[in-house]
Amino acid sequence: MSLLMLGAVASVTQGAMAIPAKKSLLALIDAAIGSNAADLANYQRAVIVELRLPRTLLALLVGAILAQCGAAMQGMFRNPLADPGIIGVSSGSAVGAVLAIFLSPPELAWWIVPLGAFAAGFGTSVLIYQLARGSTGTSVFILLLAGIAISALAGAFIGFISYIADDARLRDLSLWQMGSLASADSGRLWILAAAFALIAWRLQRSANGLNALLLGEAEARHLGIDVEQLKRELVLLVALGVGLAVSAAGVIGFIGLVVPHFVRMLTGPNHTTLLPLAALGGALLLLLADIGARLFLAPAELPVGILTALLGAPFFLVLLLQQRQRA
């Protein structure tokens, strides 16, 4: 928690425009109580209050949601490779969001885009679950192959939409696909905050069911868990979380893969502690990645999805090698 608070302070006080950290924090107090203790110009105050603060909050919410969804999927499939990005849920949500961006008028995009991303993410989650499900349980091999196929199909569809889009929409689509937190606003923050509260509450109530699933579906049923009901609920929650996160920040991969696995190595597989710690870890990791994205090429900005991919892809390869050695 202390690291998260330090990261949030760094995110608000650091950026391409140099503003003293003390005055940056005072500007937040001024905005809350209506004072003028920071003594900053209006444009400097706007940078702190209207750009950096919403962006920081968006990074916290998106990172926490993606990490918790990743932990839930890994528990449901009993495999640490089951990240929403790897198995195609993020790509499916991206298709819904891109289609909504392309077809909807800009004044309606704020609610059509999240709805499209959620609907496509939910459909993709159900499709993947049905494809991987068999008489002996869930096949991880089919799960990964289905994810590859769906990601390729989604990439082709998004490429087609980008090809026929005009220049203005093409630029928006290109930046959005690489992941960015620059579009943070109060509407998105309220929607994501409500979604995070719902997802965190329901997943925490499902922690014992996820722990039972680690023993196997048959064993979970013997312990009194309604496995099919639990899986339907988890798929719905993951689709909601990933869909809204993708619609707000674009495709940001590997948060749901890296963070739950790292937390599991530190604290063990108990979902009662894994889920909340994964949320904290995901928020911190995306916050640090966004700070790096803003400072690395300042005053230009690097899409944050590129940084998370640079971190997550080698981690994923290490996971694959570990799986191979255990096989």
Side-chain angles (χ1 to χ4, degrees), residues 115-166:
L115 183 62
F118 165 69
F122 179 71
T124 305
S125 301
V126 173
L127 175 63
I128 291 171
Y129 174 65
Q130 293 298 333
L131 287 173
R133 184 183 180 191
S135 58
T136 58
T138 304
S139 169
V140 175
F141 181 67
I142 295 178
L143 186 72
L144 294 177
L145 287 182
I148 292 171
I150 289 174
S151 296
L153 185 61
F157 185 83
I158 293 173
F160 173 73
I161 294 294
S162 301
Y163 182 77
I164 63 176
D166 56 37

Side-chain angles (χ1 to χ4, degrees), residues 47-74:
V47 167
I48 299 298
V49 177
E50 298 177 16
L51 296 180
R52 291 183 186 173
L53 178 61
R55 187 174 183 135
T56 299
L57 296 176
L58 185 61
L60 294 173
L61 289 169
V62 170
I65 288 174
L66 290 177
Q68 280 214 321
C69 289
M73 293 210 78
Q74 290 172 9

Side-chain angles (χ1 to χ4, degrees), residues 198-214:
L198 173 65
I199 291 169
W201 173 63
R202 289 303 304 173
L203 287 182
Q204 199 63 34
R205 286 174 60 89
S206 303
N208 289 332
L210 283 167
N211 288 338
L213 274 181
L214 293 178

